[in-house]
Structures are given as C-alpha cells and as structure tokens.
Amino acid sequence: MTTPKSIEQKIREIVCEVTDLTPDVLVPTATFEELEVDSLDLVTILYDIDEELGIDLEASEFEHVKTIQDFIDKVQELAGDK
Amino acid sequence: MKKRVVVTGVGAISGLGDSVAESWTNALSGKSGIAIRDVTVRRHPEYTAQYPIGQVQTPDIRSRARAIGGKAGKIVGRGVQLSLIASQEALLDSKLADRPDVLEEAAIVYGCGCPGLDSLEEGYASVLLRGLNKVNPMMVPNVMPSAAASALSMAFGIKGPCQTISTACASSAHAILSATHMISSGRAKLAVAGGSDAPLTYGNLAAWKSLGALSEEHCRPFSSRRDGTVIAEGAATIILEEYETARDRGATIYAEILGGGDTADAAHITQPSISGMLKVLQLANESCAIDPTAPALISMHGTGTPLNDKCEAAAVADYYGRNIENNTIIATKSLHGHAIGATAAIEFILGILAMNEGQAPCVEAAANKETEASLPFHKSANDTFECTHLISNSFAFGGANVVLVANKFAE
C-alpha cells in the first residue's frame, strides 16, 4: 500500500536523482530558488513522479509552489484528487 | 600566415576500451570489443534482439558523466555521457583540465551522426507501447545533434565557438578538420574536437539490418569473408592547439595535423564512389604537400561491407599506383565496430599512436590470409614499420568524404 509517508520518501528520492542534491539539503523550508532547481528540473521531476508513482501532474499546477514542503504537500494533494 | 596545429591530448571510450591506454593495449593484442549481445527496448523486454555490436562494457557511465558534467551530466543521452567521459580524459591528458582561463576561450567542434536515439526510442515506447500522453521532457534537448557539444561547453566552461557537424560516418573527421582550420586561420588557439554516438537501440539496429548492411557475426574489413559492418557506440576527443602556444606551455605533442581533404560524391545516398574516394585522397595529399612516395600509415574506413571495402581498396591502389607498397595499411573497425559519428575520431587516435610507435593492430583479414585486395595490409601487431605521416579515411553515407593528414611532430 502506498502511504503518504512513502510517497513523500519517493518524491524526495526523485528530486535528489534529478537535481543531484543530497537528501540533507532538502529541508522543508528550502526554496526551489535557493536549491537552484529550475523549470527544466521541475518538469523532469514531475515526469519521473508520473513514471514511478503513476500520478499525472502538470507544471502549471505548481506555479505558486516555493518550498520543498509546499511541493510535497501539493503532489500529495493532487495525488489524492486523482 | 597559417598557424601550425598540433594534438596535445586524447581521450576515447568504446567497446575496445574505457580509455585510450586500454584501447591501445587491447588493439595491439587483437582483443576486439565486438560481441553478439542482446539489444532491448528499455522497459520492454518483449522487444529484444541479438546483434554483434561494439558496446561499452563499463557499467557506471551515467554516474561518471554526472560526476564530470554537473548540470551537463543531467542530459540523459548515452552519447552525451560518453562524450563527457572521453573529453575529460583528453583534457586531463593535455594538462588543461584545470585551466578555466584557457578553456573559456577554446572552441568545440564535435561530431554526431545519430543523436539521442535512446531517448527517442524511449519516448516512442512511452506513447505507443504504454499509451502515455507524455514523454520524458529531457528527450527534447537530448535529440538535438548539438547536445554533446553543448554538454562539453557546460561541463568544462568552454565559451568560444561551439559547433556540431553531422555527416554520418564522417562526422568526427569533419569536426577534426574544421577545428584544424579554425586554429590554422587564427580564429582559435585551442579546440576540443571529436565525436560521439550511442546508436545501439532496438529500432536503429533493426533499420540497419533491413538495409542489409549488418554482419551476422563480426566486422571483417577487406576480408573475402566479409558480410557487413557492426554498429557500435563510443566517443573520442582530441585536443587541438596552436603549436606555439603548446610549445610555450611545455605541452606533450602527439602529432601535427597538416589538414586534409573533404568532398562530396554527388552520387548515391548509401553507395560509395571510387572516383569520389580517389578525388578526396588526391585533394588531401596535394593540399598537404605530401610526397606520394613517402611511406604513409593509411587508416582505412574499412567498414566490412562488400561495397565500401572493394571501392576503397580500388581507390587507394589507384592513387598510390606503384608506390603502394611503400605504405602500411590498417583497418580498425574489427576492434571497435562502426561507431558512426565517433568512429573517425577513434580511428584517428589509434592511427596517431600507431604512427608514433611504428606498431599497429593487424588487419585481421591479413593475419588470417584472407584479404580480397592485394594491398600492404598490416599482418601482425608484432611487425614494426616506418612511416612519415598518417592518412585517415572516412567515407560516409550520402557521399561525404574526409581524409585527414597528420605528421609525426618535428620542431
């Protein structure tokens, strides 16, 4: 069964894999801008989340997302809706 | 006044070896990187076929490329990854890897014959086999022919001219020649030149098989038993430098590139032309003022297809005439396969090493006494030879021809 906690863990793994960031820098309040995660990274992360977790996401749904925690919360919110 | 152009660093990765040193050792011992292997559509093992291929066997290509390339390493294509590895080796070899001031002014001219085939196949599989309505967004940059050149620019901080040449099998030969002209004309003092390709996809190999150009088991240039070529992956990079700059910094110089010839056959999209091959051989030698009686090491294009090898043998015999026996002929695709956009650069590096050492990998067909043409093919890696210069042939589909000419370096 896929729990919210396991989804969060998987999202973190995907973000690290795409961006080469290490897990320790993905603190909840870190922003994408601070972490230098750009738009190309974002669409790649969203594609990988779809591939791994089967959650279909559009980049436009993340326009107002700033922090890592915002991102994780949004993915889980959208996953629940789909 | 034209500047002299010298080679100060080399790097290569292919089925023959993980580095130039390993490739050369394997080449001299006749240890071919060609083997019959499975080729599978990623995530779809139901689409698996077996072909003789030249495949890089090092398992950690992706992580090595990412460690080298920073953001450039995120470009997912295997051809780009191989280009980063080969180019890092070349830059370390040239002792310029830690010279951002020099690299900032350098040029890149890189060859690629069939870019991003892995990404393309994966994208089509996503849509057509899995019914998805999206594809990996990295497919877009990865299928650009310029992906490797851009990745090298990003990885090594190179901000001069950044060009890609795509002329099928002659791509990296054109790249080397173009970079040579850039330096000899004074447009650049340093250039990163070469090529990469990763064409070992299910679809691409099926296409080559349909064309009737593939061997059933091995690449046998100039053999009476030859039945086609073997497709391979790889990357090779050479560092070209203006001679005076190289001399002043105490660089190790492998060879001097005199130039070469490049022409088009205007004949057929896949078939070679003897007259076209002859013309470019003449142009290369005459433009570099080569004495046709001087002993040359000739590195043949030698694909192992019935037609290329027959035509190339005839053209070389015709050009050299009665002086043909002064030369030594090698054909290395039996060792590394036909790596399309990378192959000319791989062969050029092997040719330079052979020219300098007076030793070369044998032409397998000659060692096995089964050559079809009567030419001075190199029969044994244990035999030594004399030569003053290297002639390196590349004859591509579509009739794009390049012959590179390099000398043993002398002050």
Side-chain angles (χ1 to χ4, degrees), chain A residues 7 11 45-46 49 53 55 57 62 65 69-82:
Chain A
I7 291 178
I11 293 169
I45 290 166
L46 295 180
I49 289 173
L53 298 172
I55 306 170
L57 303 163
F62 293 82
V65 161
Q69 194 58 54
D70 289 344
F71 180 75
I72 292 169
D73 290 345
K74 189 67 177 174
V75 173
Q76 291 189 327
E77 173 197 323
L78 292 170
D81 288 347
K82 291 183 196 270

PDB file of all heavy atoms in Angstrom, chain A residues 7 11 45-46 49 53 55 57 62 65 69-82:
ATOM      1  N   ILE A   7       5.081   7.993  -0.130  1.00  0.00           N
ATOM      2  CA  ILE A   7       5.055   8.885  -1.298  1.00  0.00           C
ATOM      3  C   ILE A   7       6.043  10.011  -1.087  1.00  0.00           C
ATOM      4  O   ILE A   7       6.803  10.381  -1.993  1.00  0.00           O
ATOM      5  CB  ILE A   7       3.633   9.447  -1.545  1.00  0.00           C
ATOM      6  CG1 ILE A   7       2.685   8.342  -2.004  1.00  0.00           C
ATOM      7  CG2 ILE A   7       3.666  10.575  -2.559  1.00  0.00           C
ATOM      8  CD1 ILE A   7       1.261   8.789  -2.226  1.00  0.00           C
ATOM      9  N   ILE A  11       9.166  10.945  -3.460  1.00  0.00           N
ATOM     10  CA  ILE A  11       9.323  12.270  -4.072  1.00  0.00           C
ATOM     11  C   ILE A  11      10.712  12.818  -3.772  1.00  0.00           C
ATOM     12  O   ILE A  11      11.387  13.367  -4.646  1.00  0.00           O
ATOM     13  CB  ILE A  11       8.229  13.246  -3.556  1.00  0.00           C
ATOM     14  CG1 ILE A  11       6.851  12.811  -4.057  1.00  0.00           C
ATOM     15  CG2 ILE A  11       8.530  14.670  -4.004  1.00  0.00           C
ATOM     16  CD1 ILE A  11       5.704  13.548  -3.378  1.00  0.00           C
ATOM     17  N   ILE A  45      11.217  16.258 -12.911  1.00  0.00           N
ATOM     18  CA  ILE A  45      10.768  15.659 -11.648  1.00  0.00           C
ATOM     19  C   ILE A  45       9.318  15.198 -11.778  1.00  0.00           C
ATOM     20  O   ILE A  45       8.962  14.084 -11.368  1.00  0.00           O
ATOM     21  CB  ILE A  45      10.906  16.677 -10.486  1.00  0.00           C
ATOM     22  CG1 ILE A  45      12.385  16.921 -10.167  1.00  0.00           C
ATOM     23  CG2 ILE A  45      10.159  16.196  -9.231  1.00  0.00           C
ATOM     24  CD1 ILE A  45      12.620  18.151  -9.288  1.00  0.00           C
ATOM     25  N   LEU A  46       8.475  16.042 -12.352  1.00  0.00           N
ATOM     26  CA  LEU A  46       7.055  15.690 -12.496  1.00  0.00           C
ATOM     27  C   LEU A  46       6.885  14.470 -13.398  1.00  0.00           C
ATOM     28  O   LEU A  46       6.043  13.603 -13.137  1.00  0.00           O
ATOM     29  CB  LEU A  46       6.268  16.875 -13.051  1.00  0.00           C
ATOM     30  CG  LEU A  46       6.199  18.109 -12.150  1.00  0.00           C
ATOM     31  CD1 LEU A  46       5.390  19.219 -12.814  1.00  0.00           C
ATOM     32  CD2 LEU A  46       5.602  17.762 -10.795  1.00  0.00           C
ATOM     33  N   ILE A  49       7.903  11.441 -11.396  1.00  0.00           N
ATOM     34  CA  ILE A  49       6.870  11.100 -10.407  1.00  0.00           C
ATOM     35  C   ILE A  49       5.728  10.332 -11.085  1.00  0.00           C
ATOM     36  O   ILE A  49       5.213   9.348 -10.550  1.00  0.00           O
ATOM     37  CB  ILE A  49       6.336  12.370  -9.699  1.00  0.00           C
ATOM     38  CG1 ILE A  49       7.395  12.936  -8.755  1.00  0.00           C
ATOM     39  CG2 ILE A  49       5.042  12.077  -8.935  1.00  0.00           C
ATOM     40  CD1 ILE A  49       7.033  14.273  -8.127  1.00  0.00           C
ATOM     41  N   LEU A  53       5.211   6.764  -9.729  1.00  0.00           N
ATOM     42  CA  LEU A  53       4.088   6.696  -8.800  1.00  0.00           C
ATOM     43  C   LEU A  53       2.736   6.716  -9.509  1.00  0.00           C
ATOM     44  O   LEU A  53       1.705   6.566  -8.857  1.00  0.00           O
ATOM     45  CB  LEU A  53       4.143   7.861  -7.798  1.00  0.00           C
ATOM     46  CG  LEU A  53       5.385   7.886  -6.908  1.00  0.00           C
ATOM     47  CD1 LEU A  53       5.440   9.174  -6.082  1.00  0.00           C
ATOM     48  CD2 LEU A  53       5.385   6.675  -5.967  1.00  0.00           C
ATOM     49  N   ILE A  55       1.265   9.240 -10.838  1.00  0.00           N
ATOM     50  CA  ILE A  55       0.499  10.457 -10.518  1.00  0.00           C
ATOM     51  C   ILE A  55       0.745  11.439 -11.649  1.00  0.00           C
ATOM     52  O   ILE A  55       1.860  11.929 -11.838  1.00  0.00           O
ATOM     53  CB  ILE A  55       0.971  11.075  -9.186  1.00  0.00           C
ATOM     54  CG1 ILE A  55       0.934  10.024  -8.065  1.00  0.00           C
ATOM     55  CG2 ILE A  55       0.093  12.269  -8.829  1.00  0.00           C
ATOM     56  CD1 ILE A  55       1.615  10.496  -6.785  1.00  0.00           C
ATOM     57  N   LEU A  57       0.811  14.815 -13.288  1.00  0.00           N
ATOM     58  CA  LEU A  57       0.894  16.184 -12.774  1.00  0.00           C
ATOM     59  C   LEU A  57       1.274  17.131 -13.908  1.00  0.00           C
ATOM     60  O   LEU A  57       2.024  16.757 -14.814  1.00  0.00           O
ATOM     61  CB  LEU A  57       1.967  16.260 -11.676  1.00  0.00           C
ATOM     62  CG  LEU A  57       1.763  15.314 -10.497  1.00  0.00           C
ATOM     63  CD1 LEU A  57       3.053  15.172  -9.694  1.00  0.00           C
ATOM     64  CD2 LEU A  57       0.632  15.823  -9.612  1.00  0.00           C
ATOM     65  N   PHE A  62       1.928  23.916 -10.262  1.00  0.00           N
ATOM     66  CA  PHE A  62       2.954  24.173  -9.248  1.00  0.00           C
ATOM     67  C   PHE A  62       3.498  25.591  -9.325  1.00  0.00           C
ATOM     68  O   PHE A  62       4.542  25.898  -8.739  1.00  0.00           O
ATOM     69  CB  PHE A  62       4.103  23.168  -9.406  1.00  0.00           C
ATOM     70  CG  PHE A  62       3.696  21.760  -9.076  1.00  0.00           C
ATOM     71  CD1 PHE A  62       3.044  20.964 -10.001  1.00  0.00           C
ATOM     72  CD2 PHE A  62       3.922  21.240  -7.811  1.00  0.00           C
ATOM     73  CE1 PHE A  62       2.623  19.678  -9.680  1.00  0.00           C
ATOM     74  CE2 PHE A  62       3.520  19.951  -7.487  1.00  0.00           C
ATOM     75  CZ  PHE A  62       2.865  19.181  -8.424  1.00  0.00           C
ATOM     76  N   VAL A  65       4.169  27.172  -5.972  1.00  0.00           N
ATOM     77  CA  VAL A  65       4.936  26.379  -5.003  1.00  0.00           C
ATOM     78  C   VAL A  65       6.323  26.982  -4.845  1.00  0.00           C
ATOM     79  O   VAL A  65       6.998  27.265  -5.833  1.00  0.00           O
ATOM     80  CB  VAL A  65       5.029  24.921  -5.496  1.00  0.00           C
ATOM     81  CG1 VAL A  65       6.163  24.175  -4.821  1.00  0.00           C
ATOM     82  CG2 VAL A  65       3.708  24.202  -5.275  1.00  0.00           C
ATOM     83  N   GLN A  69       8.601  21.619   1.081  1.00  0.00           N
ATOM     84  CA  GLN A  69       7.414  21.102   1.759  1.00  0.00           C
ATOM     85  C   GLN A  69       6.148  21.450   0.986  1.00  0.00           C
ATOM     86  O   GLN A  69       5.228  20.646   0.874  1.00  0.00           O
ATOM     87  CB  GLN A  69       7.326  21.638   3.199  1.00  0.00           C
ATOM     88  CG  GLN A  69       6.310  20.860   4.064  1.00  0.00           C
ATOM     89  CD  GLN A  69       6.636  19.383   4.124  1.00  0.00           C
ATOM     90  OE1 GLN A  69       7.751  18.988   4.467  1.00  0.00           O
ATOM     91  NE2 GLN A  69       5.672  18.536   3.768  1.00  0.00           N
ATOM     92  N   ASP A  70       6.124  22.682   0.407  1.00  0.00           N
ATOM     93  CA  ASP A  70       4.985  23.078  -0.445  1.00  0.00           C
ATOM     94  C   ASP A  70       4.825  22.078  -1.578  1.00  0.00           C
ATOM     95  O   ASP A  70       3.707  21.666  -1.929  1.00  0.00           O
ATOM     96  CB  ASP A  70       5.225  24.461  -1.084  1.00  0.00           C
ATOM     97  CG  ASP A  70       5.151  25.594  -0.100  1.00  0.00           C
ATOM     98  OD1 ASP A  70       4.630  25.391   1.008  1.00  0.00           O
ATOM     99  OD2 ASP A  70       5.642  26.707  -0.446  1.00  0.00           O
ATOM    100  N   PHE A  71       5.959  21.705  -2.164  1.00  0.00           N
ATOM    101  CA  PHE A  71       5.939  20.808  -3.325  1.00  0.00           C
ATOM    102  C   PHE A  71       5.394  19.438  -2.938  1.00  0.00           C
ATOM    103  O   PHE A  71       4.496  18.901  -3.593  1.00  0.00           O
ATOM    104  CB  PHE A  71       7.361  20.682  -3.896  1.00  0.00           C
ATOM    105  CG  PHE A  71       7.448  19.775  -5.102  1.00  0.00           C
ATOM    106  CD1 PHE A  71       6.991  20.197  -6.338  1.00  0.00           C
ATOM    107  CD2 PHE A  71       7.991  18.496  -5.004  1.00  0.00           C
ATOM    108  CE1 PHE A  71       7.054  19.372  -7.456  1.00  0.00           C
ATOM    109  CE2 PHE A  71       8.056  17.661  -6.111  1.00  0.00           C
ATOM    110  CZ  PHE A  71       7.587  18.107  -7.336  1.00  0.00           C
ATOM    111  N   ILE A  72       5.921  18.913  -1.827  1.00  0.00           N
ATOM    112  CA  ILE A  72       5.475  17.587  -1.395  1.00  0.00           C
ATOM    113  C   ILE A  72       3.983  17.615  -1.066  1.00  0.00           C
ATOM    114  O   ILE A  72       3.217  16.736  -1.451  1.00  0.00           O
ATOM    115  CB  ILE A  72       6.301  17.115  -0.182  1.00  0.00           C
ATOM    116  CG1 ILE A  72       7.749  16.848  -0.632  1.00  0.00           C
ATOM    117  CG2 ILE A  72       5.700  15.850   0.441  1.00  0.00           C
ATOM    118  CD1 ILE A  72       8.718  16.626   0.505  1.00  0.00           C
ATOM    119  N   ASP A  73       3.580  18.655  -0.367  1.00  0.00           N
ATOM    120  CA  ASP A  73       2.148  18.774   0.008  1.00  0.00           C
ATOM    121  C   ASP A  73       1.269  18.842  -1.239  1.00  0.00           C
ATOM    122  O   ASP A  73       0.195  18.217  -1.290  1.00  0.00           O
ATOM    123  CB  ASP A  73       1.932  20.035   0.854  1.00  0.00           C
ATOM    124  CG  ASP A  73       2.550  19.921   2.235  1.00  0.00           C
ATOM    125  OD1 ASP A  73       2.885  18.787   2.646  1.00  0.00           O
ATOM    126  OD2 ASP A  73       2.718  20.974   2.906  1.00  0.00           O
ATOM    127  N   LYS A  74       1.721  19.603  -2.243  1.00  0.00           N
ATOM    128  CA  LYS A  74       0.924  19.767  -3.461  1.00  0.00           C
ATOM    129  C   LYS A  74       0.788  18.451  -4.209  1.00  0.00           C
ATOM    130  O   LYS A  74      -0.288  18.109  -4.702  1.00  0.00           O
ATOM    131  CB  LYS A  74       1.575  20.834  -4.345  1.00  0.00           C
ATOM    132  CG  LYS A  74       0.723  21.260  -5.538  1.00  0.00           C
ATOM    133  CD  LYS A  74      -0.540  22.009  -5.074  1.00  0.00           C
ATOM    134  CE  LYS A  74      -1.346  22.506  -6.262  1.00  0.00           C
ATOM    135  NZ  LYS A  74      -2.622  23.107  -5.805  1.00  0.00           N
ATOM    136  N   VAL A  75       1.904  17.726  -4.301  1.00  0.00           N
ATOM    137  CA  VAL A  75       1.862  16.427  -5.003  1.00  0.00           C
ATOM    138  C   VAL A  75       0.887  15.505  -4.296  1.00  0.00           C
ATOM    139  O   VAL A  75       0.045  14.851  -4.933  1.00  0.00           O
ATOM    140  CB  VAL A  75       3.268  15.777  -5.073  1.00  0.00           C
ATOM    141  CG1 VAL A  75       3.164  14.366  -5.644  1.00  0.00           C
ATOM    142  CG2 VAL A  75       4.201  16.620  -5.934  1.00  0.00           C
ATOM    143  N   GLN A  76       0.953  15.481  -2.986  1.00  0.00           N
ATOM    144  CA  GLN A  76       0.081  14.560  -2.236  1.00  0.00           C
ATOM    145  C   GLN A  76      -1.380  14.995  -2.353  1.00  0.00           C
ATOM    146  O   GLN A  76      -2.274  14.160  -2.450  1.00  0.00           O
ATOM    147  CB  GLN A  76       0.520  14.493  -0.768  1.00  0.00           C
ATOM    148  CG  GLN A  76       1.876  13.791  -0.641  1.00  0.00           C
ATOM    149  CD  GLN A  76       2.270  13.503   0.792  1.00  0.00           C
ATOM    150  OE1 GLN A  76       1.942  14.262   1.682  1.00  0.00           O
ATOM    151  NE2 GLN A  76       2.990  12.421   0.986  1.00  0.00           N
ATOM    152  N   GLU A  77      -1.592  16.318  -2.376  1.00  0.00           N
ATOM    153  CA  GLU A  77      -2.949  16.829  -2.537  1.00  0.00           C
ATOM    154  C   GLU A  77      -3.504  16.408  -3.908  1.00  0.00           C
ATOM    155  O   GLU A  77      -4.612  15.879  -4.010  1.00  0.00           O
ATOM    156  CB  GLU A  77      -2.926  18.359  -2.444  1.00  0.00           C
ATOM    157  CG  GLU A  77      -4.272  19.036  -2.756  1.00  0.00           C
ATOM    158  CD  GLU A  77      -4.093  20.519  -3.049  1.00  0.00           C
ATOM    159  OE1 GLU A  77      -3.247  21.176  -2.406  1.00  0.00           O
ATOM    160  OE2 GLU A  77      -4.801  21.022  -3.943  1.00  0.00           O
ATOM    161  N   LEU A  78      -2.686  16.582  -4.925  1.00  0.00           N
ATOM    162  CA  LEU A  78      -3.140  16.252  -6.281  1.00  0.00           C
ATOM    163  C   LEU A  78      -3.277  14.744  -6.457  1.00  0.00           C
ATOM    164  O   LEU A  78      -4.163  14.270  -7.162  1.00  0.00           O
ATOM    165  CB  LEU A  78      -2.168  16.823  -7.319  1.00  0.00           C
ATOM    166  CG  LEU A  78      -2.150  18.358  -7.391  1.00  0.00           C
ATOM    167  CD1 LEU A  78      -1.002  18.861  -8.264  1.00  0.00           C
ATOM    168  CD2 LEU A  78      -3.478  18.891  -7.922  1.00  0.00           C
ATOM    169  N   ALA A  79      -2.408  13.996  -5.798  1.00  0.00           N
ATOM    170  CA  ALA A  79      -2.493  12.538  -5.868  1.00  0.00           C
ATOM    171  C   ALA A  79      -3.809  12.066  -5.256  1.00  0.00           C
ATOM    172  O   ALA A  79      -4.434  11.127  -5.752  1.00  0.00           O
ATOM    173  CB  ALA A  79      -1.319  11.909  -5.149  1.00  0.00           C
ATOM    174  N   GLY A  80      -4.232  12.742  -4.209  1.00  0.00           N
ATOM    175  CA  GLY A  80      -5.471  12.366  -3.548  1.00  0.00           C
ATOM    176  C   GLY A  80      -6.689  12.674  -4.403  1.00  0.00           C
ATOM    177  O   GLY A  80      -7.696  11.985  -4.359  1.00  0.00           O
ATOM    178  N   ASP A  81      -6.563  13.745  -5.228  1.00  0.00           N
ATOM    179  CA  ASP A  81      -7.661  14.170  -6.067  1.00  0.00           C
ATOM    180  C   ASP A  81      -7.796  13.298  -7.311  1.00  0.00           C
ATOM    181  O   ASP A  81      -8.819  13.326  -7.983  1.00  0.00           O
ATOM    182  CB  ASP A  81      -7.431  15.624  -6.549  1.00  0.00           C
ATOM    183  CG  ASP A  81      -7.636  16.604  -5.408  1.00  0.00           C
ATOM    184  OD1 ASP A  81      -8.170  16.190  -4.364  1.00  0.00           O
ATOM    185  OD2 ASP A  81      -7.230  17.780  -5.555  1.00  0.00           O
ATOM    186  N   LYS A  82      -6.742  12.576  -7.669  1.00  0.00           N
ATOM    187  CA  LYS A  82      -6.773  11.882  -8.969  1.00  0.00           C
ATOM    188  C   LYS A  82      -7.116  10.394  -8.828  1.00  0.00           C
ATOM    189  O   LYS A  82      -6.990   9.854  -7.754  1.00  0.00           O
ATOM    190  CB  LYS A  82      -5.382  12.039  -9.620  1.00  0.00           C
ATOM    191  CG  LYS A  82      -5.126  13.470 -10.022  1.00  0.00           C
ATOM    192  CD  LYS A  82      -3.793  13.633 -10.723  1.00  0.00           C
ATOM    193  CE  LYS A  82      -3.407  15.081 -10.740  1.00  0.00           C
ATOM    194  NZ  LYS A  82      -3.873  15.813 -11.867  1.00  0.00           N
TER     195      LYS A  82
END
